[in-house]
Amino acid sequence: MGVEQQDTTVHPADPPGDPSELARVPDETVPEYVDLASDLHESVSGDVRFDEYAQILYATDGSIYQARPAGVVFPEDIADVKAAVEIATEHGVPILPRGAGSSLAGQTVGPGCVVLDMSRHMDGLIDVDTDEQSAVIQPGIVQDDLEAELEEDGLKFAPDPASSGRATVGGSIGNNSTGAHSVRYGITDAYTEEIKAVLPDGSLLHAREVVLDSDEWDDIVSKDDREAEIYQTVREAVENNEEEIETRYPELKRRVSGYNLDRVIYENEDGEEVMNLSKLYVGSEGTLGVIVEAKIGLVTVPEETALVLYCFEDLVDAMEAVPEALEFDVSAVELMDDEVFRLAAESDGYSEYVEPIPEGTEASLMLEYDSELHDDFEAAIAETNEYFVDNGKAFDAIEAYTDEDQADIWKLRKAAIPLLMSLEGDPKPYPFIEDATVPPKELAEYVIEFEEVLEDHGTSAAYFAHAGSGTLHIRPILNLKDQNGIEKMHSITDDVTDLVIKHHGAFSGEHGDGMARTEFNPKMYGDDLWNSFKEVKTAFDPEWDMHPGNVVYRDSPEDPGPDSERGVGADMRENLRYGADYQSVEPQTKLDFSDEGGFSHLVELCNGCGTCRETGSDVMCPTYRASKEEIQATRGRANMLRAAISGELPEDEIYSDRFQEEVLDLCVGCKGCKSDCPTGVDLAKLKAEVKHEYHQQEGTTIRERLFANIDTVSRIGSALAPVSNWAQELPGSDVIAEKLGIAPDRSLPHFASTSLEEWFEQRYSPVSEEEADDKVVLFPDTFTNYSYPEPGKAAVEVLEAANIYVEIPDDTVPTGRAAFSMGKLDKAYDRAKRNVQVLLPYIENGYSVVFVEPSDAAMLQDEYLDLLDGQAAQRVGASAYGVCEFLHAHRIYDDIDFDAPDEYLSYHGHCNQKALNKDHHAAAVLQQAGYEVDALDTSCCGMAGSFGYEKEHYDLSKSIGKILFEKVDESPGETVVAPGASCRTQLGDRDERSEKPPHPTEKLRDALA
């Protein structure tokens, strides 16, 4: 209890490894911080990084800001946090705790700070009390991971930010986060019961309810220590400002700016007046200490929910309906405008979710109902339909009762923020005043006046968010690469803060102060409270070591605090990621980047939201899931590329071995970011372009040439089979492979003595071209042709069972997938050009092009359009299909007589198919054939063509594979099926008992009557 000077956490006295090695400062450490880094290495068990790459990776978050830290520490436990804080303060360097870095106001970046990344190791659920409905957690636990662990108990943490798939609970506490259900549950401060935090002097403060003037209180304040100073200062701040607190703090469900002086003293359940400093820590953004443990309250999870989306022809009509919606028992009231719908419709990953929205919808209001409030969802929705549609201004209602239908609507809503940042060009709908909150009854008038502010400044905005709580995410569209745009941002903020005060609101109802809004806190709270904020800050942090300049700042060096400039001043125009001086290089490229606005614009589409750090569903980003390294997430790679093209890194750094190996080579090219990243940052395309230029300068290795020409190797191996297969088993063959850089533990492909093309030439086709119902070209990809022809044979037989004429051309060349993945774009271009020339006459003659291998289908559907100009490539791409995609898209399965065996299949789709929204076809056709199918929500298998064969990538490949194996083991399916050759190889290499799973076409052939 109280301030603990000694930590009880078990800490190894003698860390494993050579102590001298442990204390060694990496060669890349920035010279300015060598001594600090050395001291941290000696005292902290977790990793310590003070190199330029680490600074760049942690210089940004989900906001418009950028500030290089001194370095990053990854504490493993409380003892590490204490040591890091003590050493940083000794060196006079400020400290900044950080979770996922998804914050939108710049509160997880800080110039010259030691960043403590709490998400790597301190991410556990310590205890759950189901009777009390509470949990004790470490700050780095991701909210969705916490929810998964609480699922069996039917409990959850009520605040639900849209970023819950990557945001940490510690970050939610630091930010006082909330979400769509604050109408029902309130925000984080209501659920934070106790906190343990490390203060700048290394002591551990236990914040909990303390009854005022009790024996415990007297014991605390009687001591001459930091804890006594904190308690006395906070009490004085509250009691001396009762009238100001009553006047200045708005009565809203959401208010997350400033310090919570209005909530730190209250009556407990026994009617006693208590002080609970944990309420003050909530929303403090790391400025009062480093949270290392928290006890949080939980709520029960409703068994069922239902949604209805009301469509309006006018935004103000939707706003006027908000207070009326709150008259009903709803658990969420959410708004989206037509700009969100438009951008979603243009996004590969979200277009399907916006299809049900009727034309003419200028704004929508979404109402959610849960089973703890309603017994009959249909009756509840009928009541609101009558009110809003029959007798109101809504012209349509979309009802959603199933989990799947509701998930689609929520996915669209949660993607709104990053979707808006995908807007083409430099002007973007930036976040800086986007979560101002006013009472719901004043929303309509507030929006009208806000529009006038925008009109006065010559801009427009997009609208969405938590209308039921009076929070609208209004994002003015500005160009922050232009000084006029920057000044316009500041002027709009000034005007809107006046508007918010006029409407009895708060500057921030969700996203906090940070660099964006701290400047304006004096205006909201007045001089007396503002001075009290500074006194409270100084009581916790006398030297202003903790994230100085956020939430509160010093007006001058004479203010309370250190005898220095630390924490003096706050200007939202400073530390912008894209300022007036920002410039980037637009290189000449081999690939066509015109659809993305250019190479640099595609890089800059990354807004830092951190969706690529999510690990629970979808594809992106498989390497991050396995390693938890920021540099291996799409955001990390995009940040490094942006640093390279904008001059933050030395001119030729992008072509250095380190950049190639750490930033690019570990991207598996799954293409998941093309669809899963809401702004569409296609790292696989960017990687291919940069690797191409790298090869132009540095040449290629023997291994790279070998893999890029794997078709030649396979053709020779097939011609020499079975001798070529025996050769792989000879003693010493693994040594040769290892010298070439191939992982000796990886099983190499065997070669078929009869290729698919040879088999096809020797057989009689039962379907004639003249009498066929349709006709296709089956493309002989390298793996199917030379190593495993069975899926190709099965494809032919299934297609012919539907009276489709099949032809395998003998003059195509490999698609160039291997060469493209290696960045050998000249070779990929030549092969693309050749195949388009060969295939176009077939297409003009009514043929479709069908593929067994998904990655080769994706080459024609996607990459060929970047490699080649003109209509020919587009026509060929539009006529290219995976086998199951072709069967499903054209309902050809209706023409096949299936009689599937009684078998339950687990289907793992290929990541390239998922990126192009084509992975669902195989599962659908297998179900039509009569199988029961569990379509796994899986990421990349980790094999990724040659990646899994490369010696230096083998361990990472297997780590990614283990995530897939876990999904397979959890599935009720008896048999795994996978269309990708790489996926089947990874699954077959799982252990000695594993066999390569079948391709879906093989199971379809088994089901032919």
Side-chain angles (χ1 to χ4, degrees), residues 28 40 124 241 253 368 472 475 694 799:
E28 298 87 1
L40 287 166
N241 291 283
K253 288 181 177 292
E368 186 192 73
L472 278 187
R475 293 189 166 211
Y694 175 74
L799 289 165

Side-chain angles (χ1 to χ4, degrees), residues 1-9 78 82 196-197 201-206 227:
M1 308 291 284
V3 174
E4 303 170 23
Q5 295 295 337
Q6 299 297 320
D7 180 31
T8 58
T9 305
I78 295 175
K82 285 186 171 184
K196 289 183 179 179
D201 62 1
S203 60
L204 189 66
L205 177 69
H206 182 187
E227 183 181 29

Side-chain angles (χ1 to χ4, degrees), residues 276-302:
N276 189 343
L277 292 177
S278 70
K279 305 298 184 182
L280 198 63
Y281 268 104
V282 178
S284 64
E285 300 182 2
T287 62
L288 303 180
V290 182
I291 297 171
V292 293
E293 190 177 295
K295 181 181 179 183
I296 55 175
L298 307 172
V299 298
T300 54
V301 180

Side-chain angles (χ1 to χ4, degrees), residues 474-652:
I474 308 177
R475 293 189 166 211
I477 299 172
L478 299 171
N479 180 7
L480 296 186
K481 293 181 181 179
D482 177 78
Q483 190 62 41
N484 289 333
I486 295 169
E487 295 304 323
K488 189 179 292 187
M489 173 184 71
H490 191 263
S491 179
I492 289 173
T493 305
D494 202 22
D495 288 349
V496 170
T497 51
D498 290 335
L499 188 61
V500 167
I501 292 173
K502 172 186 173 182
H503 285 280
H504 314 98
F507 298 159
S508 177
E510 182 172 15
H511 296 156
D513 294 324
M515 293 182 173
R517 284 180 282 275
T518 294
E519 175 186 355
F520 297 93
N521 273 341
K523 182 193 290 189
M524 178 170 178
Y525 291 103
D527 291 342
D528 292 341
L529 285 175
W530 180 245
N531 288 328
S532 292
F533 284 176
K534 289 184 282 189
E535 290 167 0
V536 168
K537 163 71 173 173
T538 303
F540 279 86
D541 181 17
E543 297 301 314
W544 285 49
D545 292 309
M546 302 302 307
H547 203 195
N550 288 265
V551 182
V552 61
Y553 62 88
R554 299 165 63 214
D555 297 295
S556 71
E558 288 71 43
D559 269 357
D563 185 18
S564 73
E565 293 290 328
R566 181 177 291 175
V568 176
D571 189 330
M572 70 176 301
R573 293 165 290 191
E574 296 178 353
N575 298 307
L576 293 172
R577 188 188 308 191
Y578 301 110
D581 296 330
Y582 177 86
Q583 291 183 327
S584 62
V585 175
E586 183 59 43
Q588 292 287 335
T589 60
K590 182 72 175 178
L591 297 175
D592 182 5
F593 286 88
S594 57
D595 285 347
E596 296 89 354
F599 179 94
S600 61
H601 187 258
L602 179 56
V603 172
E604 293 167 6
L605 274 179
C606 176
N607 58 40
C609 67
T611 306
C612 45
R613 290 174 57 105
E614 295 189 1
T615 59
S617 62
D618 298 324
V619 179
M620 181 182 69
C621 181
T623 49
Y624 175 78
R625 295 183 186 199
S627 70
K628 301 299 174 67
E629 288 278 1
E630 177 72 20
I631 200 170
Q632 292 183 32
T634 303
R635 177 175 72 177
R637 295 186 178 107
N639 274 331
M640 294 303 299
L641 282 170
R642 183 169 47 79
I645 64 174
S646 65
E648 278 191 74
L649 285 171
E651 184 177 355
D652 292 330

Side-chain angles (χ1 to χ4, degrees), residues 312 314-325 335 365 387-388 393 440-441 443-445 447-448:
F312 294 84
D314 184 80
L315 176 66
V316 174
D317 289 344
M319 295 294 95
E320 290 175 343
V322 171
E324 298 168 349
L335 175 99
L365 213 56
Y387 190 91
F388 291 111
K393 294 183 178 180
K441 64 182 180 180
L443 264 180
E445 184 181 350
V447 167
I448 292 171

Side-chain angles (χ1 to χ4, degrees), residues 674-732:
K674 180 180 174 67
S675 59
D676 293 350
C677 171
T679 55
V681 181
D682 188 346
L683 239 300
K685 181 176 180 178
L686 291 166
K687 172 191 173 180
E689 184 64 52
V690 177
K691 293 297 289 186
H692 167 74
E693 185 60 32
Y694 175 74
H695 292 320
Q696 298 294 104
Q697 293 192 22
E698 304 295 333
T700 54
T701 64
I702 294 175
R703 187 183 69 182
E704 287 169 333
R705 292 195 292 274
L706 177 70
F707 283 136
N709 293 284
I710 192 65
D711 53 296
T712 302
V713 176
S714 298
R715 185 175 67 251
I716 296 171
S718 179
L720 298 177
V723 175
S724 53
N725 296 324
W726 299 339
Q728 295 183 38
E729 309 300 326
L730 292 175

Side-chain angles (χ1 to χ4, degrees), residues 75-78 80-81 117-124 138-141 291-293:
E76 293 185 353
D77 50 31
I78 295 175
D80 269 0
V81 174
D117 185 339
M118 311 297 283
S119 68
R120 175 73 62 80
H121 303 296
M122 299 185 69
D123 61 348
Q138 291 181 307
I141 190 168
I291 297 171
V292 293
E293 190 177 295

